[in-house]
């Protein structure tokens, strides 16, 4: 009886456990051998030697590959896009101006819409350079401010009572404030604008009915997944900045963490109006090279989150080498604009080394512009940021956004937006 139980257990469960644990590699020695596609070789085999050829020929090719094979094509600016500024007030002892803007995608109050929350430093005269970010849990989670509107859309809810029946409650107010460093951002002379990502597209696989997808046909295999949809929403925020004279729409840094770091990279690649791009612990499908298959893999991400990428990307499950692009080319699409990649040592799932390498392998494109790109030939030591036109750090600690991360982004913005060294 006992023996047969263990035999049964062994046959049925052990291979399952084994298969699970061998699915993910955390050992540098076991990274498969790979050759990265060359960002500077055109589809016809010719070598790109100038920034002009990059911009007119190779960049469009690479962008098209990422659209077709991975993130998906998104529509342009909707014709009836409408902005409603419903709040503009001095806050934080008059040190800041808070604005809230409802962005109606179809020009209707009862249609798909997102709310932009904006803090601007009162001491800055003229248009303010601003960090634009998506948040995971609702604008009201970013600070304790009771005047921040609760999201109207589907909310997952993490802490107890934060959401009831997927609707946000007062319990969520301020719960994510450790990630936002609002007073310091303002003190340093920058604005912070944020949007709850679920306003644009709720983060679950619903066959493309909710969020802004309600306005469009179901995506085809080469069309927008949720990452491209969230990035589309960021571009709509930029449309608003273009008409708000208090915000410097030519100095917008798009920043995001984790899946929203993948999103900020894609937003900056797809929309060149973003002047700076910041990826915080973005990992697989973000800054990490897919071919290394270190930590999270393409197959795993496509299985856990089937809605994030387009259906063409499924072809690369367990077959990363067949993909005509890798993530260093995503970083290269940001050139010559500054891009910062941040890793965390405790976030091996996101492959810190792979995140560093994609920055380094984007260098040839920056060099076409006479820029240095990432000034490091090997991964810098922990908590030692390097900043060229590409910045990088691997911070001690876990998968998160910390004051340390923001400190580096502010320093990086000072260099590139304010000419400080
Ligand atoms: C994880 C996912 C990562 C990362 C993260 C997040 O479950 O595997 O790719 O995106 O979620 O966004 O929090």
């Amino acid at each position: 009886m006992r023996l047969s139980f263990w035999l049964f257990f062994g046959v049925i469960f052990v291979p399952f456990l084994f298969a699970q644990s061998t699915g993910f590699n955390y050992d540098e020695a076991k990274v498969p051998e790979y050759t990265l596609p060359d960002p500077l070789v055109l589809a016809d085999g010719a070598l790109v030697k100038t920034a002009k050829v990059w911009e007119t020929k190779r960049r469009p090719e690479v962008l098209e590959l990422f659209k077709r094979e991975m993130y998906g094509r998104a529509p342009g600016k909707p014709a009836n896009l409408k902005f409603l500024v419903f709040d503009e007030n001095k806050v934080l002892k008059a040190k800041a101006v808070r604005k809230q803007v409802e962005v109606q995608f179809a020009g209707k109050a009862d249609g798909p819409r997102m709310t932009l929350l904006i803090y601007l430093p009162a001491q800055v005269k003229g248009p303010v350079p601003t960090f634009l970010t998506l948040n995971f849990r609702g604008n009201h989670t970013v600070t304790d401010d009771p005047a921040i509107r609760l999201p109207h859309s589907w909310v997952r809810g993490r802490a107890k009572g934060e959401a009831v029946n997927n609707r946000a409650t007062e319990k969520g107010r301020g719960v994510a404030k450790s990630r936002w460093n609002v007073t310091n951002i303002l003190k340093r002379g920058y604005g912070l604008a944020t949007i709850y990502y679920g306003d644009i597209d709720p983060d679950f696989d619903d066959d493309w009915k909710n969020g802004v997808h309600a306005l469009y046909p179901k995506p085809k295999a080469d069309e927008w997944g949720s990452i491209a949809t969230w990035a589309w929403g960021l571009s709509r925020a930029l449309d608003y900045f273009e008409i708000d004279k208090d915000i410097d729409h030519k100095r917008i840094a798009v920043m995001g963490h984790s899946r929203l770091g993948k999103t900020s990279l894609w937003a900056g690649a797809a929309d060149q109006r973003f002047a700076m791009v910041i990826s915080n612990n973005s990992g697989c499908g973000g800054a990490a090279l897919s071919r290394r298959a270190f930590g999270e893999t393409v197959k795993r991400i496509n299985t856990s989150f089937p809605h994030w990428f387009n259906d063409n990307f499924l072809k690369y499950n367990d077959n990363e080498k067949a993909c005509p692009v890798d993530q260093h080319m995503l970083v290269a699409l940001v050139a010559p604009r500054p891009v910062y990649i941040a890793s965390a040592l405790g976030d091996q799932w996101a492959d810190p080394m792979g995140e560093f390498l994609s920055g380094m392998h984007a260098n040839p494109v920056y060099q076409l512009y006479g820029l240095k790109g990432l000034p490091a030939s090997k991964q810098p030591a922990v908590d030692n940021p390097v900043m060229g036109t590409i910045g990088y750090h691997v911070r001690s600690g876990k998968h998160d956004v910390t004051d340390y991360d923001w400190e580096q982004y502010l320093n990086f913005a000072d260099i590139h937006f304010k000419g400080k060294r």
Side-chain angles (χ1 to χ4, degrees), residues 136 257-260 262 282 284 296 301 305 308 349 399:
F136 278 94
H257 169 60
S258 206
R259 70 198 68 182
L260 302 179
K262 309 179 207 298
S282 63
C284 179
E296 188 171 28
I301 206 166
F305 308 102
W308 284 3
W349 182 239
H399 184 74

Side-chain angles (χ1 to χ4, degrees), residues 298-314:
V298 169
K299 181 180 179 185
R300 162 66 195 238
I301 206 166
N302 277 332
T303 309
S304 325
F305 308 102
H307 54 296
W308 284 3
F309 301 92
N310 69 16
D311 282 354
N312 279 342
F313 196 49
L314 294 168

